Coordinates of all heavy atoms in Angstrom, one line a residue:
M61 N 208.6 -32.6 14.5 CA 208.8 -32.7 13.1 C 207.9 -33.9 12.6 O 208.0 -35.0 13.1 CB 210.2 -32.9 12.8 CG 210.5 -33.0 11.3 SD 212.3 -33.0 10.9 CE 212.6 -34.8 10.9
K62 N 207.1 -33.7 11.6 CA 206.2 -34.7 11.1 C 206.9 -35.4 9.9 O 207.3 -34.8 8.9 CB 204.9 -34.1 10.6 CG 203.9 -35.1 10.1 CD 202.6 -34.5 9.8 CE 201.6 -35.5 9.3 NZ 200.3 -35.0 9.0
L63 N 207.0 -36.7 10.0 CA 207.6 -37.5 8.9 C 206.6 -37.9 7.9 O 205.5 -38.3 8.3 CB 208.4 -38.7 9.5 CG 209.5 -38.4 10.4 CD1 210.0 -39.7 11.0 CD2 210.6 -37.7 9.7
H64 N 206.9 -37.9 6.6 CA 206.0 -38.3 5.6 C 206.2 -39.8 5.4 O 207.3 -40.3 5.5 CB 206.3 -37.6 4.3 CG 206.0 -36.2 4.3 ND1 204.7 -35.7 4.2 CD2 206.8 -35.1 4.4 CE1 204.7 -34.4 4.3 NE2 206.0 -34.0 4.4
Q65 N 205.1 -40.5 5.2 CA 205.1 -41.9 4.9 C 205.8 -42.2 3.6 O 205.7 -41.4 2.6 CB 203.7 -42.5 4.9 CG 203.0 -42.4 6.2 CD 201.6 -43.0 6.2 OE1 201.1 -43.2 5.1 NE2 201.1 -43.2 7.3
Q66 N 206.6 -43.2 3.6 CA 207.4 -43.6 2.4 C 206.7 -44.7 1.6 O 206.2 -45.6 2.3 CB 208.8 -44.0 2.8 CG 209.6 -43.0 3.6 CD 210.1 -41.8 2.7 OE1 210.8 -42.1 1.8 NE2 209.6 -40.6 3.0
R67 N 206.8 -44.7 0.3 CA 206.3 -45.7 -0.5 C 207.3 -45.9 -1.6 O 208.1 -45.1 -1.9 CB 205.0 -45.3 -1.2 CG 203.8 -45.1 -0.2 CD 203.4 -46.4 0.5 NE 202.3 -46.3 1.4 CZ 202.4 -46.1 2.7 NH1 203.5 -46.0 3.3 NH2 201.3 -45.9 3.4
T68 N 207.2 -47.1 -2.3 CA 208.1 -47.4 -3.4 C 207.4 -47.3 -4.7 O 206.3 -48.0 -4.8 CB 208.7 -48.8 -3.2 OG1 209.4 -48.9 -2.0 CG2 209.7 -49.2 -4.4
C69 N 207.9 -46.6 -5.7 CA 207.3 -46.6 -7.0 C 207.6 -47.9 -7.7 O 208.8 -48.4 -7.7 CB 208.0 -45.5 -7.9 SG 207.6 -45.5 -9.6
I70 N 206.6 -48.6 -8.2 CA 206.8 -49.9 -8.8 C 207.4 -49.8 -10.2 O 207.7 -50.9 -10.7 CB 205.5 -50.8 -8.8 CG1 204.4 -50.1 -9.6 CG2 205.0 -51.1 -7.4 CD1 203.2 -51.0 -9.9
G71 N 207.5 -48.7 -10.7 CA 208.1 -48.5 -12.0 C 209.6 -48.4 -11.9 O 210.3 -49.2 -12.5
C72 N 210.1 -47.4 -11.2 CA 211.5 -47.1 -11.1 C 212.1 -47.7 -9.8 O 213.3 -47.6 -9.7 CB 211.8 -45.6 -11.2 SG 211.2 -44.6 -9.8
R73 N 211.3 -48.2 -8.9 CA 211.7 -48.8 -7.6 C 212.4 -47.8 -6.7 O 213.1 -48.2 -5.8 CB 212.7 -50.0 -7.9 CG 212.1 -51.0 -8.8 CD 211.0 -51.8 -8.2 NE 211.3 -52.4 -7.0 CZ 210.5 -52.8 -6.1 NH1 209.2 -52.5 -6.2 NH2 210.9 -53.4 -5.0
T74 N 212.1 -46.5 -6.8 CA 212.6 -45.5 -5.9 C 211.7 -45.3 -4.7 O 210.5 -45.2 -4.9 CB 212.7 -44.1 -6.7 OG1 213.5 -44.3 -7.8 CG2 213.3 -43.0 -5.8
V75 N 212.3 -45.2 -3.6 CA 211.5 -45.0 -2.3 C 211.4 -43.5 -2.1 O 212.4 -42.8 -2.2 CB 212.2 -45.7 -1.1 CG1 211.4 -45.3 0.2 CG2 212.2 -47.2 -1.3
T76 N 210.2 -43.0 -2.0 CA 210.0 -41.6 -1.8 C 208.7 -41.3 -1.0 O 208.0 -42.3 -0.6 CB 209.9 -40.9 -3.2 OG1 209.9 -39.5 -3.0 CG2 208.7 -41.3 -3.9
S77 N 208.5 -40.1 -0.6 CA 207.3 -39.7 0.1 C 206.0 -40.1 -0.7 O 206.0 -39.8 -1.9 CB 207.3 -38.2 0.4 OG 206.1 -37.8 0.9
K78 N 205.0 -40.6 0.0 CA 203.8 -41.0 -0.8 C 203.1 -39.7 -1.4 O 202.3 -39.9 -2.3 CB 202.9 -41.8 0.1 CG 202.0 -41.1 1.1 CD 201.1 -42.0 1.7 CE 200.0 -41.3 2.4 NZ 199.0 -42.2 3.0
N79 N 203.4 -38.5 -0.9 CA 202.9 -37.3 -1.5 C 203.4 -37.1 -2.9 O 202.8 -36.3 -3.6 CB 203.2 -36.1 -0.6 CG 202.6 -36.2 0.8 OD1 201.6 -37.0 1.0 ND2 203.2 -35.5 1.8
E80 N 204.5 -37.7 -3.3 CA 205.1 -37.5 -4.6 C 204.6 -38.6 -5.6 O 205.1 -38.6 -6.7 CB 206.6 -37.5 -4.5 CG 207.1 -36.3 -3.6 CD 208.6 -36.3 -3.5 OE1 209.3 -36.9 -4.4 OE2 209.1 -35.8 -2.5
L81 N 203.8 -39.5 -5.1 CA 203.4 -40.6 -5.9 C 201.9 -40.6 -6.1 O 201.2 -39.9 -5.4 CB 203.8 -41.9 -5.2 CG 205.3 -42.1 -4.9 CD1 205.5 -43.3 -4.1 CD2 206.1 -42.2 -6.2
I82 N 201.4 -41.4 -7.1 CA 200.0 -41.6 -7.3 C 199.7 -43.1 -7.0 O 200.5 -44.0 -7.1 CB 199.6 -41.3 -8.7 CG1 200.3 -42.1 -9.8 CG2 199.7 -39.8 -9.0 CD1 199.9 -41.8 -11.2
R83 N 198.5 -43.3 -6.4 CA 198.1 -44.6 -6.0 C 197.2 -45.3 -7.0 O 196.3 -44.6 -7.6 CB 197.3 -44.5 -4.6 CG 197.0 -45.8 -4.0 CD 196.4 -45.6 -2.6 NE 196.2 -46.9 -2.0 CZ 195.0 -47.4 -1.7 NH1 193.9 -46.8 -2.1 NH2 194.8 -48.6 -1.2
W84 N 197.4 -46.5 -7.2 CA 196.6 -47.4 -8.1 C 195.9 -48.4 -7.2 O 196.5 -49.0 -6.3 CB 197.5 -48.1 -9.1 CG 198.2 -47.1 -10.0 CD1 199.4 -46.5 -9.8 CD2 197.8 -46.7 -11.3 NE1 199.8 -45.8 -10.8 CE2 198.8 -45.9 -11.8 CE3 196.7 -47.0 -12.1 CZ2 198.7 -45.3 -13.1 CZ3 196.6 -46.4 -13.4 CH2 197.6 -45.6 -13.8
V85 N 194.6 -48.8 -7.6 CA 193.9 -49.8 -6.9 C 193.3 -50.8 -7.9 O 193.2 -50.4 -9.1 CB 192.7 -49.2 -6.0 CG1 193.3 -48.4 -4.9 CG2 191.8 -48.4 -6.8
L86 N 192.9 -51.9 -7.5 CA 192.4 -53.0 -8.3 C 190.9 -53.0 -8.2 O 190.3 -53.1 -7.1 CB 193.0 -54.3 -7.9 CG 192.7 -55.5 -8.7 CD1 193.3 -55.4 -10.1 CD2 193.2 -56.8 -8.1
K87 N 190.2 -52.9 -9.4 CA 188.8 -53.0 -9.4 C 188.4 -54.5 -9.9 O 189.1 -55.0 -10.8 CB 188.1 -52.0 -10.4 CG 188.3 -50.6 -10.0 CD 187.4 -49.7 -10.9 CE 187.9 -49.7 -12.3 NZ 187.2 -48.7 -13.1
E88 N 187.5 -55.1 -9.2 CA 187.2 -56.5 -9.5 C 186.5 -56.5 -10.9 O 185.7 -55.7 -11.2 CB 186.2 -57.0 -8.4 CG 186.9 -57.1 -7.1 CD 188.1 -58.0 -7.0 OE1 188.1 -59.1 -7.7 OE2 189.1 -57.7 -6.4
G89 N 186.8 -57.6 -11.6 CA 186.2 -57.8 -12.9 C 186.8 -59.0 -13.6 O 188.0 -59.3 -13.3
A90 N 186.1 -59.7 -14.4 CA 186.7 -60.9 -15.0 C 186.8 -60.7 -16.5 O 186.1 -59.9 -17.1 CB 185.8 -62.1 -14.7
P91 N 187.7 -61.4 -17.2 CA 188.8 -62.3 -16.6 C 190.0 -61.5 -16.1 O 190.6 -61.9 -15.1 CB 189.2 -63.2 -17.8 CG 189.0 -62.3 -19.0 CD 187.8 -61.4 -18.6
L92 N 190.3 -60.3 -16.7 CA 191.4 -59.5 -16.2 C 190.7 -58.4 -15.3 O 189.7 -57.8 -15.6 CB 192.1 -58.9 -17.3 CG 192.9 -59.8 -18.2 CD1 193.7 -59.0 -19.3 CD2 193.9 -60.6 -17.4
R93 N 191.4 -58.2 -14.2 CA 190.9 -57.1 -13.3 C 191.4 -55.8 -13.8 O 192.5 -55.6 -14.2 CB 191.3 -57.4 -11.9 CG 190.6 -58.7 -11.4 CD 190.9 -59.0 -10.0 NE 190.2 -60.2 -9.6 CZ 190.7 -61.0 -8.7 NH1 191.9 -60.8 -8.1 NH2 190.0 -62.1 -8.4
A94 N 190.5 -54.8 -13.7 CA 190.9 -53.4 -14.1 C 191.6 -52.7 -13.0 O 191.3 -52.8 -11.8 CB 189.7 -52.7 -14.5
V95 N 192.6 -51.9 -13.4 CA 193.4 -51.1 -12.4 C 192.9 -49.7 -12.6 O 192.7 -49.2 -13.8 CB 194.9 -51.2 -12.7 CG1 195.7 -50.3 -11.8 CG2 195.3 -52.6 -12.5
S96 N 192.7 -48.9 -11.6 CA 192.3 -47.5 -11.7 C 193.1 -46.7 -10.7 O 193.6 -47.1 -9.7 CB 190.8 -47.4 -11.4 OG 190.5 -47.6 -10.1
L97 N 193.2 -45.4 -11.1 CA 193.9 -44.4 -10.3 C 193.0 -44.1 -9.1 O 191.8 -43.8 -9.2 CB 194.2 -43.2 -11.1 CG 195.5 -43.2 -11.8 CD1 195.5 -42.0 -12.8 CD2 196.6 -43.0 -10.8
D98 N 193.6 -44.0 -7.9 CA 192.9 -43.6 -6.7 C 193.4 -42.2 -6.4 O 194.3 -41.9 -5.7 CB 193.3 -44.5 -5.6 CG 192.6 -44.1 -4.3 OD1 191.7 -43.3 -4.2 OD2 193.1 -44.7 -3.2
Q99 N 192.7 -41.2 -7.1 CA 193.2 -39.8 -7.0 C 193.0 -39.2 -5.6 O 193.8 -38.3 -5.2 CB 192.5 -38.9 -8.0 CG 192.9 -39.4 -9.5 CD 192.2 -38.5 -10.5 OE1 192.0 -37.3 -10.3 NE2 192.0 -39.0 -11.7
Q100 N 192.1 -39.7 -4.9 CA 191.9 -39.2 -3.5 C 192.8 -39.9 -2.5 O 193.0 -39.4 -1.4 CB 190.4 -39.4 -3.1 CG 189.4 -38.8 -4.0 CD 189.6 -37.3 -4.2 OE1 189.9 -36.6 -3.3 NE2 189.5 -36.8 -5.5
G101 N 193.3 -41.1 -2.9 CA 194.1 -41.8 -2.0 C 193.4 -42.5 -0.9 O 194.0 -42.8 0.2
S102 N 192.1 -42.7 -1.0 CA 191.3 -43.2 0.1 C 190.5 -44.5 -0.3 O 189.7 -44.9 0.5 CB 190.3 -42.1 0.6 OG 189.5 -41.7 -0.5
A103 N 190.6 -45.0 -1.5 CA 189.9 -46.2 -1.9 C 190.3 -47.4 -1.0 O 191.5 -47.5 -0.6 CB 190.1 -46.5 -3.3
S104 N 189.3 -48.2 -0.7 CA 189.7 -49.4 0.1 C 190.3 -50.5 -0.7 O 190.2 -50.5 -2.0 CB 188.4 -50.0 0.7 OG 187.5 -50.4 -0.3
G105 N 191.0 -51.3 -0.1 CA 191.7 -52.4 -0.8 C 193.1 -52.2 -1.0 O 193.7 -51.2 -0.6
R106 N 193.7 -53.2 -1.6 CA 195.2 -53.2 -1.9 C 195.5 -52.1 -2.9 O 194.8 -52.0 -3.9 CB 195.5 -54.6 -2.5 CG 197.0 -54.8 -2.6 CD 197.3 -56.2 -2.9 NE 198.7 -56.5 -2.9 CZ 199.5 -56.7 -1.8 NH1 198.9 -56.7 -0.7 NH2 200.7 -56.9 -1.9
G107 N 196.5 -51.4 -2.7 CA 197.0 -50.4 -3.6 C 198.5 -50.5 -3.9 O 199.2 -51.2 -3.2
T108 N 198.9 -49.8 -4.9 CA 200.3 -49.8 -5.3 C 200.6 -48.4 -5.8 O 199.7 -47.6 -6.1 CB 200.7 -50.9 -6.3 OG1 202.1 -51.0 -6.4 CG2 200.1 -50.6 -7.7
W109 N 201.8 -48.0 -5.9 CA 202.2 -46.6 -6.2 C 203.2 -46.5 -7.3 O 204.0 -47.3 -7.5 CB 202.9 -46.1 -4.9 CG 202.0 -46.1 -3.7 CD1 201.8 -47.2 -2.9 CD2 201.2 -45.1 -3.1 NE1 201.0 -46.9 -1.9 CE2 200.6 -45.6 -2.0 CE3 201.0 -43.8 -3.5 CZ2 199.7 -44.9 -1.2 CZ3 200.1 -43.0 -2.7 CH2 199.5 -43.6 -1.6
T110 N 203.0 -45.4 -8.1 CA 204.0 -45.0 -9.1 C 204.2 -43.5 -9.1 O 203.3 -42.8 -8.5 CB 203.6 -45.4 -10.6 OG1 202.4 -44.6 -10.9 CG2 203.3 -46.8 -10.7
H111 N 205.3 -43.0 -9.7 CA 205.4 -41.6 -9.9 C 204.4 -41.2 -11.0 O 203.9 -42.1 -11.7 CB 206.8 -41.2 -10.4 CG 207.8 -41.3 -9.3 ND1 208.7 -42.3 -9.2 CD2 208.1 -40.4 -8.4 CE1 209.5 -42.1 -8.2 NE2 209.2 -40.9 -7.7
G112 N 204.0 -40.0 -11.0 CA 203.0 -39.6 -12.0 C 203.6 -39.2 -13.3 O 203.3 -38.2 -13.9
T113 N 204.5 -40.1 -13.8 CA 205.1 -39.9 -15.1 C 204.9 -41.1 -16.0 O 204.7 -42.2 -15.6 CB 206.7 -39.8 -14.9 OG1 207.2 -41.0 -14.4 CG2 207.0 -38.6 -14.0
Q114 N 204.8 -40.8 -17.3 CA 204.6 -41.9 -18.3 C 205.7 -42.9 -18.2 O 205.5 -44.1 -18.3 CB 204.6 -41.2 -19.7 CG 204.2 -42.1 -20.8 CD 202.7 -42.4 -20.8 OE1 201.9 -41.6 -20.4 NE2 202.3 -43.5 -21.4
K115 N 206.9 -42.5 -18.0 CA 208.1 -43.4 -17.9 C 207.9 -44.4 -16.8 O 208.1 -45.6 -17.1 CB 209.4 -42.6 -17.7 CG 210.6 -43.4 -17.6 CD 211.8 -42.6 -17.3 CE 213.0 -43.5 -17.1 NZ 214.2 -42.7 -16.7
C116 N 207.5 -44.0 -15.6 CA 207.4 -45.0 -14.5 C 206.2 -45.9 -14.7 O 206.3 -47.1 -14.4 CB 207.3 -44.2 -13.2 SG 208.8 -43.6 -12.6
V117 N 205.1 -45.4 -15.3 CA 203.9 -46.2 -15.5 C 204.3 -47.3 -16.6 O 204.0 -48.4 -16.4 CB 202.7 -45.4 -15.9 CG1 201.5 -46.3 -16.2 CG2 202.3 -44.5 -14.7
Q118 N 204.9 -46.8 -17.7 CA 205.3 -47.8 -18.7 C 206.3 -48.8 -18.2 O 206.2 -50.0 -18.5 CB 205.9 -47.0 -19.9 CG 204.9 -46.3 -20.7 CD 205.5 -45.6 -21.9 OE1 206.7 -45.2 -21.9 NE2 204.7 -45.4 -22.9
Q119 N 207.3 -48.4 -17.4 CA 208.2 -49.4 -16.8 C 207.5 -50.4 -16.0 O 207.8 -51.6 -16.0 CB 209.2 -48.7 -15.9 CG 210.3 -48.0 -16.7 CD 211.3 -47.3 -15.7 OE1 211.0 -46.8 -14.7 NE2 212.6 -47.4 -16.1
A120 N 206.5 -50.0 -15.2 CA 205.7 -50.9 -14.3 C 204.9 -51.9 -15.2 O 204.9 -53.1 -14.8 CB 204.8 -50.1 -13.4
V121 N 204.4 -51.4 -16.3 CA 203.6 -52.3 -17.2 C 204.6 -53.3 -17.8 O 204.3 -54.5 -17.8 CB 202.8 -51.5 -18.2 CG1 202.3 -52.4 -19.3 CG2 201.7 -50.7 -17.5
Q122 N 205.7 -52.8 -18.3 CA 206.6 -53.7 -19.0 C 207.2 -54.7 -18.1 O 207.4 -55.9 -18.5 CB 207.8 -52.8 -19.6 CG 207.4 -52.0 -20.8 CD 208.4 -51.1 -21.2 OE1 209.4 -50.8 -20.5 NE2 208.3 -50.5 -22.4
R123 N 207.4 -54.4 -16.8 CA 208.0 -55.3 -15.9 C 206.9 -56.2 -15.2 O 207.2 -57.0 -14.4 CB 208.7 -54.5 -14.8 CG 210.0 -53.8 -15.3 CD 210.7 -53.0 -14.2 NE 210.8 -53.7 -12.9 CZ 210.2 -53.4 -11.8 NH1 209.4 -52.4 -11.7 NH2 210.5 -54.1 -10.7
R124 N 205.7 -56.0 -15.6 CA 204.5 -56.7 -15.0 C 204.4 -56.5 -13.5 O 204.0 -57.4 -12.7 CB 204.6 -58.2 -15.4 CG 204.5 -58.5 -16.8 CD 204.4 -60.0 -17.1 NE 204.3 -60.2 -18.5 CZ 205.4 -60.5 -19.3 NH1 206.6 -60.5 -18.8 NH2 205.2 -60.7 -20.6
A125 N 204.8 -55.3 -13.1 CA 204.8 -55.0 -11.7 C 203.4 -54.8 -11.1 O 203.2 -55.1 -9.9 CB 205.6 -53.7 -11.4
F126 N 202.5 -54.4 -11.9 CA 201.1 -54.3 -11.4 C 200.5 -55.7 -11.1 O 199.9 -55.9 -10.1 CB 200.2 -53.6 -12.5 CG 200.4 -52.1 -12.5 CD1 201.1 -51.5 -13.5 CD2 199.8 -51.3 -11.6 CE1 201.3 -50.1 -13.6 CE2 199.9 -49.9 -11.6 CZ 200.7 -49.3 -12.6
A127 N 200.8 -56.6 -12.0 CA 200.3 -58.0 -11.8 C 200.9 -58.6 -10.5 O 200.2 -59.2 -9.7 CB 200.7 -58.9 -13.0
R128 N 202.2 -58.3 -10.3 CA 202.8 -58.8 -9.0 C 202.3 -58.1 -7.8 O 202.0 -58.8 -6.8 CB 204.4 -58.7 -9.1 CG 205.1 -59.7 -9.9 CD 206.6 -59.7 -9.7 NE 207.2 -58.5 -9.9 CZ 207.5 -58.0 -11.2 NH1 207.2 -58.8 -12.2 NH2 208.1 -56.8 -11.3
A129 N 202.1 -56.8 -7.9 CA 201.7 -56.1 -6.7 C 200.2 -56.5 -6.3 O 199.9 -56.6 -5.2 CB 201.7 -54.6 -7.0
F130 N 199.4 -56.7 -7.4 CA 198.0 -57.1 -7.1 C 197.8 -58.6 -7.0 O 196.7 -59.1 -6.8 CB 197.1 -56.5 -8.1 CG 197.0 -55.0 -8.0 CD1 197.3 -54.2 -9.1 CD2 196.7 -54.4 -6.8 CE1 197.3 -52.8 -9.0 CE2 196.6 -53.0 -6.7 CZ 196.9 -52.2 -7.8
R131 N 198.8 -59.4 -7.3 CA 198.7 -60.9 -7.3 C 197.6 -61.3 -8.2 O 196.8 -62.2 -7.8 CB 198.6 -61.4 -5.9 CG 199.7 -61.0 -5.0 CD 199.5 -61.5 -3.6 NE 200.6 -61.0 -2.7 CZ 200.4 -60.4 -1.6 NH1 199.2 -60.2 -1.1 NH2 201.4 -60.0 -0.9
S132 N 197.5 -60.7 -9.4 CA 196.4 -61.0 -10.3 C 196.8 -60.5 -11.7 O 197.6 -59.6 -11.8 CB 195.2 -60.2 -9.8 OG 194.1 -60.3 -10.7
A133 N 196.2 -61.2 -12.7 CA 196.4 -60.7 -14.1 C 195.9 -59.3 -14.3 O 194.8 -59.0 -13.8 CB 195.7 -61.7 -15.0
V134 N 196.7 -58.5 -14.9 CA 196.3 -57.1 -15.2 C 196.5 -56.8 -16.6 O 197.5 -57.2 -17.2 CB 197.2 -56.2 -14.3 CG1 196.9 -54.7 -14.6 CG2 196.9 -56.4 -12.8
D135 N 195.6 -56.0 -17.2 CA 195.7 -55.6 -18.6 C 196.5 -54.4 -18.7 O 196.1 -53.3 -18.3 CB 194.3 -55.4 -19.2 CG 194.3 -55.0 -20.6 OD1 195.4 -54.8 -21.2 OD2 193.2 -54.8 -21.2
G136 N 197.8 -54.5 -19.2 CA 198.7 -53.4 -19.2 C 198.2 -52.2 -20.1 O 198.4 -51.1 -19.8
S137 N 197.5 -52.6 -21.2 CA 197.0 -51.5 -22.1 C 196.0 -50.7 -21.4 O 195.9 -49.4 -21.6 CB 196.5 -52.0 -23.4 OG 195.4 -52.9 -23.2
Q138 N 195.2 -51.3 -20.5 CA 194.1 -50.6 -19.8 C 194.8 -49.6 -18.8 O 194.3 -48.5 -18.6 CB 193.2 -51.6 -19.1 CG 192.1 -51.0 -18.3 CD 192.4 -50.7 -16.8 OE1 193.1 -51.5 -16.2 NE2 192.0 -49.6 -16.3
V139 N 195.9 -50.1 -18.2 CA 196.6 -49.2 -17.2 C 197.1 -48.0 -17.9 O 197.0 -46.8 -17.5 CB 197.8 -50.0 -16.5 CG1 198.6 -49.0 -15.7 CG2 197.2 -51.1 -15.7
L140 N 197.7 -48.2 -19.1 CA 198.2 -47.0 -19.9 C 197.1 -46.1 -20.3 O 197.3 -44.9 -20.3 CB 199.0 -47.5 -21.1 CG 200.3 -48.3 -20.7 CD1 201.0 -48.9 -21.9 CD2 201.3 -47.3 -20.0
Q141 N 196.0 -46.6 -20.7 CA 194.8 -45.8 -21.1 C 194.3 -45.0 -19.9 O 194.0 -43.8 -20.0 CB 193.7 -46.6 -21.6 CG 193.9 -47.2 -23.0 CD 192.8 -48.2 -23.4 OE1 191.9 -48.5 -22.6 NE2 192.9 -48.6 -24.7
E142 N 194.3 -45.6 -18.7 CA 193.9 -44.9 -17.5 C 194.8 -43.8 -17.2 O 194.4 -42.7 -16.8 CB 193.8 -45.9 -16.3 CG 193.4 -45.3 -15.0 CD 191.9 -45.3 -14.8 OE1 191.2 -46.0 -15.6 OE2 191.5 -44.7 -13.9
F143 N 196.1 -44.0 -17.3 CA 197.1 -43.0 -17.0 C 197.0 -41.8 -18.1 O 197.1 -40.7 -17.7 CB 198.5 -43.5 -17.0 CG 199.5 -42.5 -16.6 CD1 199.6 -42.0 -15.3 CD2 200.4 -41.9 -17.5 CE1 200.5 -41.1 -14.9 CE2 201.3 -41.0 -17.1 CZ 201.3 -40.5 -15.8
T144 N 196.8 -42.1 -19.3 CA 196.7 -41.1 -20.4 C 195.4 -40.2 -20.1 O 195.5 -39.0 -20.2 CB 196.5 -41.8 -21.7 OG1 197.7 -42.5 -22.0 CG2 196.4 -40.7 -22.8
A145 N 194.3 -40.8 -19.6 CA 193.2 -40.1 -19.3 C 193.5 -39.1 -18.1 O 193.0 -38.0 -18.1 CB 192.0 -41.0 -19.0
Y146 N 194.2 -39.6 -17.1 CA 194.6 -38.8 -16.0 C 195.5 -37.6 -16.4 O 195.3 -36.5 -16.0 CB 195.4 -39.7 -15.0 CG 196.1 -39.0 -13.9 CD1 195.4 -38.5 -12.8 CD2 197.5 -38.9 -13.9 CE1 196.1 -37.8 -11.8 CE2 198.2 -38.3 -12.9 CZ 197.5 -37.7 -11.8 OH 198.1 -37.1 -10.8
E147 N 196.4 -37.9 -17.3 CA 197.3 -36.8 -17.8 C 196.4 -35.8 -18.6 O 196.7 -34.6 -18.4 CB 198.4 -37.3 -18.8 CG 199.5 -38.0 -18.1 CD 200.6 -38.4 -19.0 OE1 200.3 -39.0 -20.1 OE2 201.8 -38.2 -18.7
D148 N 195.5 -36.2 -19.4 CA 194.6 -35.3 -20.1 C 193.8 -34.5 -19.2 O 193.6 -33.3 -19.4 CB 193.7 -36.1 -21.1 CG 194.4 -36.8 -22.2 OD1 195.6 -36.4 -22.5 OD2 193.9 -37.7 -22.8
Q149 N 193.3 -35.1 -18.1 CA 192.6 -34.3 -17.1 C 193.4 -33.3 -16.4 O 193.0 -32.1 -16.3 CB 192.0 -35.3 -16.0 CG 191.2 -34.6 -14.9 CD 190.8 -35.6 -13.8 OE1 191.1 -36.8 -13.9 NE2 190.2 -35.1 -12.8
L150 N 194.6 -33.6 -16.1 CA 195.6 -32.6 -15.5 C 195.8 -31.5 -16.5 O 195.8 -30.3 -16.1 CB 196.9 -33.3 -15.1 CG 196.9 -34.2 -13.9 CD1 198.3 -34.8 -13.6 CD2 196.4 -33.5 -12.7
A151 N 196.1 -31.8 -17.7 CA 196.3 -30.8 -18.7 C 195.1 -29.9 -18.9 O 195.3 -28.7 -19.0 CB 196.7 -31.4 -20.1
G152 N 193.9 -30.5 -18.9 CA 192.7 -29.7 -19.0 C 192.5 -28.7 -17.9 O 192.1 -27.6 -18.0
N153 N 192.9 -29.2 -16.6 CA 192.8 -28.3 -15.5 C 193.8 -27.2 -15.5 O 193.4 -26.0 -15.2 CB 193.0 -29.1 -14.2 CG 191.8 -30.0 -13.8 OD1 190.7 -29.9 -14.4 ND2 192.0 -30.9 -13.0
Q154 N 195.0 -27.4 -16.1 CA 196.0 -26.4 -16.2 C 195.6 -25.3 -17.2 O 195.8 -24.2 -17.0 CB 197.3 -27.0 -16.5 CG 197.9 -27.7 -15.3 CD 199.2 -28.4 -15.6 OE1 199.6 -28.5 -16.8 NE2 199.9 -28.9 -14.6
L155 N 195.0 -25.8 -18.3 CA 194.6 -24.9 -19.4 C 193.4 -24.0 -19.0 O 193.4 -22.8 -19.4 CB 194.2 -25.7 -20.6 CG 195.4 -26.3 -21.4 CD1 194.8 -27.2 -22.5 CD2 196.4 -25.3 -21.9
S156 N 192.5 -24.5 -18.1 CA 191.4 -23.8 -17.7 C 191.7 -22.8 -16.5 O 190.9 -22.0 -16.1 CB 190.2 -24.7 -17.3 OG 190.6 -25.4 -16.1
G157 N 192.9 -23.0 -16.0 CA 193.3 -22.1 -14.8 C 192.9 -22.7 -13.5 O 193.0 -22.1 -12.5
K158 N 192.3 -23.9 -13.5 CA 191.9 -24.5 -12.2 C 193.0 -25.3 -11.7 O 193.6 -26.1 -12.3 CB 190.7 -25.4 -12.5 CG 189.4 -24.7 -12.9 CD 188.3 -25.6 -13.2 CE 187.1 -24.9 -13.6 NZ 186.0 -25.7 -14.0
H159 N 193.3 -25.0 -10.4 CA 194.5 -25.7 -9.8 C 194.1 -26.4 -8.5 O 195.0 -27.1 -7.9 CB 195.6 -24.7 -9.5 CG 196.1 -24.1 -10.8 ND1 196.9 -24.7 -11.6 CD2 195.9 -22.8 -11.3 CE1 197.2 -23.9 -12.6 NE2 196.6 -22.8 -12.5
D160 N 192.9 -26.3 -8.1 CA 192.6 -27.0 -6.9 C 191.2 -27.6 -7.0 O 190.5 -27.3 -8.0 CB 192.6 -26.1 -5.6 CG 191.6 -25.0 -5.6 OD1 190.9 -24.9 -6.6 OD2 191.6 -24.2 -4.7
E161 N 190.8 -28.5 -6.1 CA 189.6 -29.2 -6.3 C 188.3 -28.3 -6.2 O 187.3 -28.7 -6.7 CB 189.5 -30.3 -5.2 CG 190.5 -31.4 -5.5 CD 190.4 -32.6 -4.5 OE1 189.5 -32.5 -3.7 OE2 191.2 -33.5 -4.6
S162 N 188.4 -27.2 -5.6 CA 187.2 -26.3 -5.5 C 186.9 -25.7 -6.8 O 185.8 -25.1 -7.0 CB 187.5 -25.2 -4.4 OG 188.5 -24.3 -4.9
G163 N 187.8 -25.7 -7.8 CA 187.6 -25.1 -9.1 C 187.9 -23.6 -9.1 O 187.7 -23.0 -10.1
S164 N 188.4 -23.1 -8.0 CA 188.7 -21.6 -8.0 C 190.0 -21.4 -8.6 O 190.9 -22.3 -8.6 CB 188.6 -21.1 -6.6 OG 189.6 -21.7 -5.8
E165 N 190.2 -20.3 -9.2 CA 191.5 -20.0 -9.8 C 192.4 -19.4 -8.7 O 192.0 -18.8 -7.8 CB 191.4 -18.9 -10.9 CG 190.6 -19.5 -12.1 CD 190.6 -18.5 -13.2 OE1 191.3 -17.4 -13.2 OE2 189.9 -18.7 -14.2
I166 N 193.7 -19.8 -8.8 CA 194.7 -19.3 -7.8 C 195.5 -18.2 -8.4 O 195.9 -18.2 -9.5 CB 195.6 -20.5 -7.4 CG1 194.7 -21.5 -6.7 CG2 196.6 -20.1 -6.4 CD1 195.4 -22.8 -6.3

């Protein structure tokens, strides 16, 4: 039996399988460092995890959990913009009938 790796959502603090979460990474830049979604889950460097819901991402921003996780100042509005773009991309894929990375319809 294969066990799934567990991660904690920094928004709601729930421990769950990392397959149910999205990964965020820190991109270097001054003065505030930008946070971006690691959709492939393979970017190098420190990462943190949230559920793919607006509620969890907003909670993480309000609690300054991204700044603590990355040990760096983080622009919360940039995080929310990044997540909104991610949601729009998912909605666009669903509307077009594309459900996997190959672009084929299922």
